[in-house]
Amino acid sequence: MKITQISIFLENRKGRLSDVCSLLGANDVNIRALTVAETESFGVLRIVVDKSDAAIKLLHDNHFVANFTDVVAIEVPDKPGGLASILKILSDNDVNIEYMYGFVEKFSDKALLVMRFEDTDFAQQILAKHNIRVVAEKDIKGL
Amino acid sequence: MIWREDVECASPADLKALQSGYLKKLIPYIYHNCPVYKQKLDAAGVKPDRIKSIDDIKRLPFTTKEDMRDYYPYGLFSAPQEQIKEIHVSSGTTGNPTLVGYTKDDLKLWGDVMARVLGCAGAVPGDTIQIAYGYGLFTGGLGFHYGALEMGLRIIPTSSGQTARQLKLMQDFKTKIIACTPSYVLYMAEEAKELGVDPAKGNWKIGIFGAEPWSEAMRREIESIWNMLATDVYGLSEIIGPGVAQECHHKDGLHIFSDVFYPEVINPKTGEEVPEGEDGELTITTLTKQGIPLIRYGTRDVVSIRYEKCRCGRTSPRISKIKGRTDDMIVVRGINVFPSQIEHVLIGIKGTQPHYQIIVDRQAHKLDEVEVLVEVEQRFFSDEIKRLNEIRDKIRKEIENVLSIGVKVTLVEPKTIERSVGKSKRIIDKRAL
C-alpha cells in the first residue's frame, strides 16, 4: 500500500522552509512526517500530509515546484535492532532504498518510517511476503 | 618604433588617395566574386564602377553579425576556397560560429598590422615577447605570433594558462613584452606573489592587453604591480583578429590602421556617421582583404574617434577604449559570450523558453567566474537530489561545450528571476572592470 509524499524544491535561502510550513498551516494542512534533503545550493523538502491533493494545489498556486512521490510507510518494532531486522530483509531481497525518514507520531506501539524505494511495487511484494505491516493512506489521515 | 611610417604617418590627403584607390578596386572585386554582396549592392542600387572615392563609402550597405551567421560557412567569401590558407572561428550569437578565412595575402596583411601593433606598443626587432593569448581557433595567439615573426622578435609562444610555467619562462628568458588579457596579467601577479616572485622586478617593460574591456583603473593597477607600460590592443576576428588598433606610449586613444581598416563611427539608430568625438558604433570596411572582405561591418563596439595627429607622429585616427556594446555580448576571460548562446542550450534541454540569469563576477585578481541561474520547472523536478544534480550537470556541460569556458549552474525556484523584456536583467555583471 503506497502513500503519497509531496516533494518540494527549495533554494537554500533564509525563511523558505518557514514559508512552506506557514502556507500549509494557514490552510489547515497538517504535516505528519517531514525531512529535508539538502545540497549546497538547494534542498528538497519531503512531507507527508493529511490532505495531499489540497496541499499540492496550494503549493502550485503559490509558485512552488512540487510533485507527488509514491512512498511506503512501514511499521518498525520500536526496540534495539528493530530497524535493522527490516533492513536486513530488504537487503537480502535486493530492495534498494533511495531514502527514508521517520513519522513524528506513532500509529501503534511501533515506530513509523517512510521509505522511498527504487522500485516501489517490488518492495511492497517483499514486505508483504515477510508480513511487515505497511500503513494505508487512510490511516495516515486518521493519525 | 613606427613600423610602417609610410602609412601610419601619411598626410590626410595621401591617406585618402590610398583609401580611395583600394575601395575602387574592392567593390568590383566583391561584386563579381561574392553573390551575397552582389545582391546587397544591387539592392542598394550601387553600381560598382561608380565608386570613385572613399567618400562614396556612405552609399554602401552595412554588413552585420547576423550576416556572418546567416551566410555561414561560405556565403561571404570573395576568394575561392583553394586560396584560403587558414580558418579561425569565434563565438556566434547562436548556432553558427563566426568564421574568418585568410588568403596568403590576408595572412601577410595580418603580420603587417600586428607588427604595427608591436611597434606602436614600443617593441623593436630582437625583443623577446611572451605570447600568452590562446593559440588555436582564437585569433589572439597566432595573430601576435605572425606580427612578432614579421618584426623579428624572439617569440615565447606559451599560449594561455599554466601560470607557474609562464612566470618561470618570463624570468628565465628575460621577457620584455607580455601579451595576454588584462585580467590574466593581474591573476598572474597574484600567482607570482604566492610563488615568491616580485612582479615589480623583472625585465618586462611592455604589456599588450586586449580581447576584453578594461578600465583606466585597471591599467594603473597593472602598471604599478608589474612596473611596466600597459597598452590596449583592439581587434575582432571578423575584421582580422588582433591588429585593428593599438595604443602608443602616450596611451591617448588607439591608433586604428585606417589605410586598410576604414573606420566610421555610426549612430545605429539612423545609420549616419556621428560627429567627431561623439559615441557611436565602430563600423569597419576591410579595404584590402581578399578572403572575406567586409563592407561597413558593424562591430557593435561603442567608441568615439578623433582625427588629430598624435604626439607620437602618427596621423592615423584614434578610437577611444571600448565604451560599451550595442548588443548584450559580454567578454569573459577573453571569450565572447552571448546570452542567446545559453538560452539556446536551455531551450534544447528543456524544450521551452527558459528563465535564466547570468552572473559574472571577479574576485580581486582572480579569473572571471560565470554562474548561470536556471529556474526549476515542474516537468524536470524530482524528489531525488541525484536526478536534480544530473540535470544541473547536463546543463553545465552543454553550456561549457558551447562557450568553451567553465561555468557554475545553480537551480533556483520558479519566479525568482526577475521578469523583464529588456536585456539588462539577463546579465548581472559584478566585475569592477
Side-chain angles (χ1 to χ4, degrees):
Chain A
M1 228 169 299
K2 298 169 199 167
I3 63 168
T4 300
Q5 166 190 286
I6 297 175
S7 313
I8 306 153
F9 182 86
L10 289 180
E11 280 175 45
N12 277 0
R13 260 194 295 134
K14 190 179 158 196
R16 289 310 280 160
L17 190 55
S18 160
D19 293 343
V20 176
C21 294
S22 304
L23 177 69
L24 296 176
N27 288 277
D28 205 27
V29 174
N30 205 349
I31 299 172
R32 295 303 188 190
L34 161 153
T35 186
V36 179
E38 57 165 34
T39 71
E40 63 184 70
S41 64
F42 67 86
V44 176
L45 171 65
R46 298 152 179 162
I47 53 175
V48 177
V49 301
D50 55 349
K51 298 187 255 320
S52 44
D53 287 331
I56 203 148
K57 182 170 185 313
L58 198 58
L59 288 163
H60 286 165
D61 288 348
N62 285 277
H63 307 305
F64 284 97
V65 168
N67 66 10
F68 285 144
T69 311
D70 285 336
V71 292
V72 181
I74 299 169
E75 287 198 331
V76 179
D78 194 2
K79 62 179 188 195
L83 177 60
S85 64
I86 289 181
L87 292 179
K88 180 154 190 341
I89 292 168
L90 294 172
S91 158
D92 288 348
N93 288 280
D94 292 324
V95 175
N96 288 327
I97 301 171
E98 295 289 347
Y99 54 81
M100 56 184 278
Y101 54 100
F103 263 79
V104 183
E105 294 130 309
K106 279 184 175 182
F107 188 65
S108 59
D109 60 341
K110 292 182 174 175
L112 203 50
L113 287 182
V114 175
M115 291 195 187
R116 161 79 152 98
F117 297 104
E118 194 177 67
D119 183 341
T120 309
D121 292 333
F122 176 61
Q124 282 186 296
Q125 285 170 29
I126 299 297
L127 292 167
K129 205 168 125 191
H130 292 83
N131 296 318
I132 297 166
R133 205 175 112 77
V134 300
V135 176
E137 191 92 45
K138 63 175 168 42
D139 297 328
I140 303 290
K141 284 181 182 147
L143 266 177
Chain B
M1 71 175 294
I2 299 177
W3 183 249
R4 286 287 306 276
E5 215 170 322
D6 59 328
V7 286
E8 291 182 76
C9 303
S11 72
D14 286 351
L15 193 59
K16 192 169 173 180
L18 195 60
Q19 291 163 336
S20 297
Y22 286 146
L23 190 69
K24 248 161 69 180
K25 275 193 210 152
L26 176 71
I27 300 307
Y29 171 68
I30 61 167
Y31 188 83
H32 294 298
N33 291 289
C34 177
V36 169
Y37 266 126
K38 178 177 188 300
Q39 200 185 358
K40 270 178 170 282
L41 290 167
D42 283 342
V46 176
K47 297 264 177 293
D49 55 358
R50 297 271 183 80
I51 301 297
K52 303 285 185 204
S53 135
I54 194 69
D55 295 331
D56 294 326
I57 205 161
K58 304 222 173 322
R59 298 168 45 209
L60 302 176
F62 292 102
T63 309
T64 63
K65 181 129 183 128
E66 285 75 24
D67 290 330
M68 301 297 290
R69 179 194 62 196
D70 295 346
Y71 299 117
Y72 177 91
Y74 296 129
L76 288 170
F77 277 93
S78 285
Q81 287 307 306
E82 59 269 25
Q83 287 180 23
I84 300 302
K85 303 303 175 195
E86 192 167 318
I87 298 266
H88 284 264
V89 296
S90 62
S91 46
T93 47
T94 49
N96 292 329
T98 299
L99 170 138
V100 54
Y102 304 79
T103 64
K104 199 175 166 189
D105 283 349
D106 290 339
L107 290 171
K108 216 172 148 233
L109 170 69
W110 201 9
D112 175 63
V113 290
M114 278 309 299
R116 299 191 209 177
V117 162
L118 295 165
C120 201
V124 292
D127 282 348
T128 297
I129 185 170
Q130 191 156 326
I131 301 172
Y133 283 109
Y135 277 66
L137 287 172
F138 176 56
T139 51
L142 283 165
F144 270 87
H145 197 91
Y146 296 148
L149 279 178
E150 175 70 16
M151 181 175 265
L153 304 187
R154 185 167 68 140
I155 302 170
I156 311 178
T158 46
S159 194
S160 51
Q162 294 192 288
T163 310
R165 195 169 68 176
Q166 297 269 9
L167 285 159
K168 178 168 171 52
L169 293 175
M170 276 175 85
Q171 297 171 86
D172 293 353
F173 292 94
K174 304 199 182 331
T175 296
K176 180 179 163 191
I177 304 156
I178 175 90
C180 62
T181 60
S183 54
Y184 185 64
V185 81
L186 280 175
Y187 175 76
M188 225 166 27
E190 213 56 15
E191 287 272 302
K193 285 175 201 161
E194 272 177 32
L195 294 167
V197 178
D198 182 357
K201 288 186 184 133
N203 291 275
W204 36 88
K205 299 268 184 305
I206 299 165
I208 307 178
F209 306 118
E212 60 186 26
W214 53 305
S215 61
E216 286 302 327
M218 239 173 120
R219 187 205 308 271
R220 284 192 292 274
E221 193 175 5
I222 294 169
E223 291 191 330
S224 92
I225 292 174
W226 283 95
N227 193 20
M228 63 159 73
L229 173 76
T231 66
D232 194 2
V233 60
Y234 175 76
L236 61 163
S237 56
E238 297 94 306
I239 299 302
I240 195 130
V244 176
Q246 165 70 31
E247 281 177 337
C248 66
H249 61 278
H250 292 294
K251 297 180 284 192
D252 188 17
L254 289 81
H255 291 278
I256 182 160
F257 306 126
S258 62
D259 56 309
V260 286
F261 304 128
Y262 185 78
E264 295 170 275
V265 178
I266 300 288
N267 177 341
K269 289 200 183 95
T270 62
E272 299 291 322
E273 199 164 12
V274 301
E276 181 172 350
E278 285 184 21
D279 293 351
E281 180 180 11
L282 178 62
T283 303
I284 297 173
T285 300
T286 64
L287 293 174
T288 60
K289 257 173 69 174
Q290 297 172 336
I292 309 182
L294 295 177
I295 304 291
R296 307 187 88 192
Y297 180 72
T299 62
R300 300 184 176 187
D301 286 318
V302 176
V303 302
S304 59
I305 195 165
R306 281 182 298 158
Y307 290 90
E308 64 183 329
K309 185 179 172 181
C310 179
R311 283 171 286 166
C312 72
R314 287 177 182 81
T315 51
S316 43
R318 277 169 288 163
I319 54 169
S320 64
K321 269 180 169 294
I322 308 304
K323 296 177 178 182
R325 292 278 300 177
T326 61
D327 63 9
D328 50 6
M329 186 187 89
I330 49 167
V331 185
V332 178
R333 289 182 237 158
I335 306 276
N336 297 348
V337 173
F338 294 93
S340 52
Q341 293 175 294
I342 290 168
E343 191 162 321
H344 206 63
V345 167
L346 293 173
I347 290 171
I349 291 172
K350 299 170 64 177
T352 52
Q353 198 62 28
H355 293 293
Y356 66 96
Q357 193 166 53
I358 303 160
I359 298 174
V360 192
D361 203 358
R362 178 188 296 163
Q363 306 300 327
H365 302 179
K366 296 280 188 233
L367 296 177
D368 294 346
E369 283 168 10
V370 180
E371 182 180 16
V372 182
L373 305 183
V374 183
E375 284 188 2
V376 169
E377 280 172 35
Q378 195 65 41
R379 287 177 308 115
F380 71 82
F381 174 60
S382 163
D383 64 309
E384 292 179 67
I385 297 284
K386 69 178 176 197
R387 298 260 176 271
L388 291 167
N389 282 341
E390 275 167 22
I391 288 162
R392 185 195 59 193
D393 292 346
K394 184 176 158 68
I395 294 172
R396 179 177 55 78
K397 276 186 195 137
E398 293 202 16
I399 292 175
E400 287 178 349
N401 233 341
V402 171
L403 300 186
S404 313
I405 48 168
V407 299
K408 179 185 175 194
V409 170
T410 302
L411 301 178
V412 300
E413 289 175 27
K415 310 276 178 197
T416 51
I417 292 170
E418 203 172 325
R419 300 297 189 262
S420 152
V421 270
K423 63 187 184 182
S424 56
K425 297 291 176 201
R426 283 287 184 223
I427 299 178
I428 308 279
D429 197 337
K430 296 179 173 172
R431 295 174 296 182
L433 292 175

